[in-house]
Amino acid sequence: MTTTSAHPGPALAAAPTAETPGAAETVAPDEQGVRARPWSGLRVHPATDTVAAFPLGGIGTGNVSVGARGEFRDWEIANHPDKGTWLPFTFFALRAAVPGRAAVTRVLESRLPGPHEGDSGYHIGKVAGLPRFAGSAMRGEYPLLRIDLTDDAVPVDVEMTAFTPLVPLDVDASGLPGAVIRYQVHNPLDTPVEVSVAGSMSNPIGHRGHDMFQAPVVEGIPTVTGRREPGLTGLVFGTDLPPEHPRYGTAMLATTDADATMTEQWPVDRWQDGVQLFWDDFTEDGRLEPPIAFTLEDETDVTRLPRQRVGSLAVAHVLAPDETHTFEFLLTWHVPNRPRAWQGNCGLPNTHEDQVVRNHYATRHTDAWAVAEHLTGSLEALERDTLAFHDALFDSTLPPEVVDAVSSTLVALRSTTCLLLDDGSEEGRFAAWEGSFDHVGSCEGTCTHVWNYAQTVANLFPSLERSARRTEFLDETLPDGRMRFRTNAVFGNDPHEFHPAVDGQMGTIVRLYREWRFSGDDGFLAELWPAAQLALEFAFRTWDANGDGVLDSEQHNTYDIEFHGENSLANSMFFAALRAAAAMAEHLGDQAAVDRYREAAERGAERMDALLFNGEYYEQRTDDVDAHRYQYGTGCLSDQLFGQTLAHLAGLGHVLPEDHVRSAVRAVYEHNFRRGFADFHSVQRTYALDDDRGLLLCSWPRGGRPRIPFVYSDEVWSGIEYQVATTLVYEGLVDEALELVRAVRDRYDGRKRNPWNEVECGNHYARSMASWGVLLALTGTAWDATTGTLHLAPRAAAVRDGVFRCLVTTARGWGEVVVDDGQARLLLRGGVLDARSVTVDLEAAGRFGSGPVTLAAGDVVELELRD
């Protein structure tokens, strides 16, 4: 994904091009096995591309984002969302001095695009009057960011890169509260150039936003001090709040450069004196001096001073002709405590909101300095593995829109949507919102009916999904089998009793099967199986009123309403759950349960198919569609086959007749996909409009729209688009699937919407991680730890010029499978793999396979060609 922020100019096509991720020429691995590759992405223009914001931060840590101009924004490190929050006087600057010429000093951002409005102009904390670069181009290939800064008046070339480590399967390595920020400066001249880069930052700890005058509102007295240790120099930001306070914490801006200079704390004043002194000092020689005084007002009572503390850190080097030097900085934070309650919007009791619980990362690191020390000491390995993951994904032969989708939505896992709490275990306890409103969480409790859709976490960090399954079955499933679909047990708070969600409860059984199959952990299955049986029996007893094997009673679901009568959303989930339960029961040796569940799945599916299939798709059975508000009746529901989608992803095969499934998903595409919304009428929330393309949640091609249909029917949700695309691929309708994915990525193009923030009920919405299902469907990847088999069957769309390359993950190892010139190999990038067989079936290139293999990171196995 590329976003350009520069002088106004003609828009470039926001569509897949030769420079789109995955389209670059493959480069051979280097000695370390990590391929160097050209950066690529979707291009958009011009100076209005300010919506793009690339989040930095790990799992359960919060984020700091970088905008398309190179500016730091959206400071969300204090255990809650905070879109739009900015820190005054927080920026990097460059000074470049050529002998015999006046030095050039610039803020390392491109120019502010406007509108330049406000009752007092720009706040002085935004230093809008300081010179900036003429233009910038953002290229994001998550988890890696690059911004090129351009200005003819600057004698050197400047490029910013940033990342937070992301290593598949390694939650701790991927859960660091910090980021690596680098400015690569190249001297293109034939004479040396003196170059300095300085970072200035105000204290983010205790920051609570801004008042009506845009002045920072801070709880506690902030502090900033300089610290030097062998290998690390930096500014440490702290507070006088007690260690148990929810806003207690530390942050740090640091460098490993031994020659760094600092102004530990700017003078504290109510005007712009501090930034004036900094700029003059830095512009003079590129080095910083100690602060001249704590305050120009000679105040001795710090409680009476403005609650703003700013420090600066600079690194200077002389660059020889044609030399490139990397100025490396670390930004880390450590805000250990969060309230022991969701404090959300769905009514879960906040029983212990006056207490705190620690973030998991706080059990591994004592403060922001310790995070920076760990990051510095482990950076070589962390960066190597992060680059290996990036390359395995972006060098794959998958269609570029799919690479863009799965990488960009991965951000949701490392956004404020997801929590990782200290529960005394080695990896912590996973919990999540559905999404994140601008300043508070959205819809608490790791909602089962939303998280059903997400496939990313299960395949990249499966231990987190197993943590969630334990919560759902061991803490939230009652003796009568009713499962609370929003958990309050993660905080030990009183439960909120509400209707059970049929799709959430049935889908969680399928996901239990998925987690067991992926991990091969029989102890995990045995521990949760009794509760899973209770949950399944609840469906027979409560949702099947007439006992015919088809659910028909009041059924609460992901649309936040209840469907009445038979419908294929609930029942496809039911049949998938029955198939999954039969497979688990068979492994546990309960033949009676096997027979009961399989017979119920077959009988119910046959009965439902006869009741609901209208010759083209599945309808809802109801005598009067307006007898209950919020039904859909004869409508073509995009989610009508969601249970079938989960069954495919879990390796359970078809739970409904194959020809009817293909017909129904084709109907969803044909009737619900719109190639423009300019003439579409909707009074619901709007996620697609004007020239956007997108998939409606429901349409009524045969008439019969209810007077008041279900509340989200006219909306477009990217998570459901990815879910439908996954099913389309499994049913052989690949072109249609890719058109849906392209439509989503075109909407999130960096001009109209942020590419790294797919929105539904909140930012970074969890349902968007359904995108990983498209990857699994296109590659036909199936890892089954219970049998030790890794099998891939890529579609033709995942093969380019006879080459197939893709990322693969198992419970304990990850790497790449490559097929080229009649040869195939599996390269393990991380972890271990102990498999009884590995096979790759190509539609046009034969079958490759091997017998038992045992691999450690870095090992390669050649696969034999079979008939």
Side-chain angles (χ1 to χ4, degrees):
M1 177 66 65
T2 302
T3 297
T4 303
S5 187
H7 312 294
L12 301 177
T17 69
E19 294 191 352
T20 303
E25 180 181 353
T26 300
V27 182
D30 63 19
E31 291 181 358
Q32 287 73 43
V34 178
R35 284 180 301 279
R37 61 183 304 281
W39 283 73
S40 55
L42 303 182
R43 288 182 175 272
V44 290
H45 208 51
T48 54
D49 304 332
T50 57
V51 69
F54 189 97
L56 301 169
I59 300 170
T61 70
N63 304 113
V64 177
S65 293
V66 179
R69 297 188 300 104
E71 79 280 15
F72 289 82
R73 53 185 287 184
D74 300 337
W75 288 77
E76 303 177 280
I77 65 174
N79 301 313
H80 65 90
D82 226 357
K83 295 296 182 197
T85 295
W86 57 280
L87 290 183
F89 306 112
T90 300
F91 61 94
F92 283 84
L94 174 136
R95 178 187 182 274
V98 179
R101 304 186 204 171
V104 176
T105 310
R106 294 280 190 274
V107 173
L108 282 161
E109 303 170 6
S110 60
R111 296 169 184 169
L112 294 160
H116 309 298
E117 301 204 3
D119 55 10
S120 300
Y122 285 99
H123 187 277
I124 60 172
K126 294 188 176 181
V127 294
L130 294 180
R132 285 165 165 78
F133 281 72
S136 63
M138 168 186 272
R139 295 174 179 266
E141 295 181 354
Y142 194 82
L144 306 182
L145 169 67
R146 171 178 149 186
I147 296 179
D148 296 312
L149 293 158
T150 55
D151 193 321
D152 291 341
V154 178
V156 292
D157 302 322
V158 184
E159 169 188 298
M160 174 196 183
T161 60
F163 74 99
T164 297
L166 194 159
V167 182
L169 310 181
D170 193 333
V171 173
D172 286 343
S174 306
L176 290 170
V180 180
I181 299 163
R182 293 169 176 151
Y183 291 93
Q184 293 179 322
V185 182
H186 173 67
N187 175 15
L189 306 179
D190 57 5
T191 185
V193 180
E194 295 179 2
V195 177
S196 300
V197 175
S200 297
M201 180 171 157
S202 62
N203 192 335
I205 304 302
H207 194 280
R208 298 182 60 183
H210 302 84
D211 64 17
M212 60 182 297
F213 302 108
Q214 298 192 61
V217 177
V218 178
E219 190 166 354
I221 304 298
T223 61
V224 54
T225 57
R227 183 173 175 181
R228 293 182 184 272
E229 300 285 349
L232 196 61
T233 300
L235 299 165
V236 179
F237 300 89
T239 178
D240 71 343
L241 294 171
E244 66 276 8
H245 195 281
R247 292 189 180 275
Y248 172 82
T250 56
M252 186 174 175
L253 179 64
T255 180
T256 56
D257 197 300
D259 194 33
T261 58
M262 290 185 288
T263 298
E264 295 182 14
Q265 181 171 281
W266 292 3
V268 178
D269 197 54
R270 292 177 176 83
W271 301 102
Q272 64 269 28
D273 303 5
V275 67
Q276 182 73 67
L277 292 168
F278 158 76
W279 191 256
D280 291 346
D281 184 19
F282 182 63
T283 301
E284 182 180 8
D285 61 4
R287 300 180 70 84
L288 300 178
E289 302 298 330
I292 62 172
F294 181 69
T295 169
L296 296 180
E297 291 190 349
D298 197 28
E299 293 277 6
T300 57
D301 183 0
V302 296
T303 65
R304 298 177 57 192
L305 295 173
R307 300 296 175 89
Q308 183 173 286
R309 303 290 183 270
V310 185
S312 298
L313 177 69
V315 176
H317 286 276
V318 176
L319 272 62
D322 200 36
E323 180 184 355
T324 298
H325 184 80
T326 298
F327 296 78
E328 182 177 275
F329 297 86
L330 304 177
L331 173 63
T332 60
W333 58 90
H334 187 277
V335 187
N337 310 319
R338 63 169 66 240
R340 191 181 157 193
W342 287 104
Q343 298 177 321
N345 60 321
C346 290
L348 273 65
N350 298 313
T351 317
H352 300 298
E353 64 181 347
D354 58 335
Q355 303 173 19
V356 296
V357 62
R358 290 171 67 80
N359 290 315
H360 173 66
Y361 74 74
T363 67
R364 301 174 52 236
H365 309 288
T366 56
D367 55 19
W369 181 274
V371 176
E373 284 187 318
H374 173 81
L375 191 52
T376 301
S378 306
L379 186 56
E380 182 178 355
L382 290 171
E383 184 168 12
R384 180 197 64 222
D385 292 343
T386 300
L387 289 172
F389 165 71
H390 165 271
D391 289 354
L393 185 56
F394 282 87
D395 280 348
S396 75
T397 54
L398 287 169
E401 58 268 36
V402 176
V403 174
D404 193 30
V406 299
S407 61
S408 298
T409 57
L410 175 54
V411 170
L413 172 60
R414 304 213 296 178
S415 73
T416 53
T417 295
C418 295
L419 288 58
L420 193 57
L421 307 174
D422 173 26
D423 67 345
S425 67
E426 184 176 344
E427 287 198 330
R429 191 173 198 180
F430 182 71
W433 303 85
E434 293 180 24
S436 298
F437 292 139
D438 283 356
H439 302 292
V440 295
S442 166
C443 306
E444 64 269 33
T446 327
C447 178
T448 57
H449 58 62
V450 168
W451 277 87
N452 271 338
Y453 292 79
Q455 304 301 321
T456 302
V457 184
N459 287 274
L460 279 183
F461 300 98
S463 65
L464 299 180
E465 288 285 358
R466 293 197 297 274
S467 173
R469 296 299 83 74
R470 286 191 170 94
T471 296
E472 290 149 358
F473 284 110
L474 300 181
D475 296 328
E476 300 294 358
T477 300
L478 303 182
D480 66 354
R482 175 170 61 93
M483 179 185 292
R484 302 185 187 101
F485 64 87
R486 297 189 188 277
T487 176
N488 220 12
V490 292
F491 290 112
N493 289 338
D494 295 342
H496 175 51
E497 304 299 351
F498 192 71
H499 314 303
V502 62
D503 48 353
Q505 187 155 329
M506 296 299 96
T508 301
I509 295 172
V510 181
R511 290 188 290 151
L512 170 61
Y513 173 74
R514 178 188 67 187
E515 268 64 86
W516 166 66
R517 184 172 181 254
F518 201 78
S519 68
D521 188 342
D522 288 348
F524 168 77
L525 175 61
E527 182 184 19
L528 274 56
W529 174 244
Q533 282 194 293
L534 291 175
L536 194 53
E537 290 301 323
F538 181 90
F540 283 112
R541 188 174 62 253
T542 305
W543 288 314
D544 182 9
N546 59 13
D548 67 346
V550 180
L551 307 186
D552 55 9
S553 298
E554 179 181 89
Q555 302 148 63
H556 189 74
N557 57 61
T558 195
Y559 310 120
D560 300 323
I561 47 84
E562 290 72 44
F563 284 158
H564 295 262
E566 297 90 343
N567 64 87
S568 63
L569 168 60
N571 278 286
S572 65
M573 304 287 281
F574 180 43
F575 305 146
L578 287 167
R579 297 275 188 182
M584 290 185 285
E586 184 172 39
H587 183 78
L588 294 170
D590 187 347
Q591 190 59 45
V594 173
D595 295 341
R596 169 169 163 73
Y597 298 148
R598 283 182 179 165
E599 190 276 334
E602 294 169 3
R603 178 170 59 92
E606 182 178 356
R607 171 71 173 157
M608 192 212 80
D609 189 70
L611 287 173
L612 304 184
F613 191 70
N614 65 11
E616 185 184 13
Y617 60 85
Y618 292 99
E619 299 179 349
Q620 178 192 20
R621 187 169 184 249
T622 176
D623 294 331
D624 181 359
V625 74
D626 291 316
H628 298 281
R629 192 176 291 190
Y630 309 135
Q631 308 302 296
Y632 69 96
T634 60
C636 182
L637 183 70
S638 286
D639 261 342
Q640 64 183 271
L641 295 169
F642 184 34
Q644 180 60 75
T645 308
L646 292 183
H648 278 320
L649 289 167
L652 293 167
H654 281 90
V655 300
L656 293 167
E658 184 174 353
D659 57 339
H660 289 182
V661 169
R662 181 182 172 89
S663 173
V665 73
R666 183 192 293 274
V668 169
Y669 166 79
E670 291 178 348
H671 297 310
N672 295 3
F673 183 63
R674 292 187 60 88
R675 294 169 178 83
F677 287 81
D679 60 351
F680 182 72
H681 302 264
S682 174
V683 297
Q684 299 172 7
R685 300 173 305 180
T686 304
Y687 302 110
L689 72 166
D690 301 333
D691 295 331
D692 289 332
R693 297 177 300 151
L695 188 79
L696 294 171
L697 267 62
C698 195
S699 68
W700 284 265
R702 302 183 177 211
R705 178 182 169 111
R707 188 169 182 270
I708 302 180
F710 69 92
V711 292
Y712 306 129
S713 57
D714 294 332
E715 296 182 2
V716 173
W717 295 355
S718 65
I720 288 181
E721 290 173 294
Y722 294 137
Q723 180 267 121
V724 171
T726 299
T727 312
L728 284 165
V729 174
Y730 277 120
E731 301 306 326
L733 303 171
V734 177
D735 291 343
E736 294 85 344
L738 295 181
E739 186 173 12
L740 290 188
V741 178
R742 282 194 296 272
V744 181
R745 300 320 304 158
D746 286 350
R747 295 201 306 272
Y748 288 90
D749 63 356
R751 291 178 297 173
K752 296 174 288 189
R753 299 170 183 88
N754 184 1
W756 301 284
N757 181 11
E758 292 192 17
V759 174
E760 194 187 304
C761 187
N763 301 297
H764 307 298
Y765 202 75
R767 201 185 323 255
S768 67
M769 289 187 285
S771 58
W772 204 271
V774 184
L775 180 152
L776 296 175
L778 279 170
T779 61
T781 300
W783 163 249
D784 187 346
T786 67
T787 60
T789 57
L790 175 62
H791 180 75
L792 295 92
R795 300 280 179 170
V799 180
R800 186 183 308 131
D801 298 328
V803 177
F804 171 64
R805 182 192 299 273
C806 80
L807 168 74
V808 293
T809 61
T810 69
R812 300 178 61 210
W814 64 279
E816 294 176 89
V817 167
V818 182
V819 181
D820 190 5
D821 292 332
Q823 296 180 327
R825 64 186 182 277
L826 168 63
L827 170 61
L828 201 68
R829 294 292 191 183
V832 296
L833 175 64
D834 190 4
R836 297 177 187 173
S837 68
V838 179
T839 56
V840 184
D841 285 326
L842 293 182
E843 291 182 349
R847 173 183 173 89
F848 300 85
S850 72
V853 297
T854 300
L855 302 178
D859 289 346
V860 180
V861 60
E862 300 291 337
L863 306 184
E864 298 176 356
L865 181 62
R866 298 179 180 176
D867 294 332

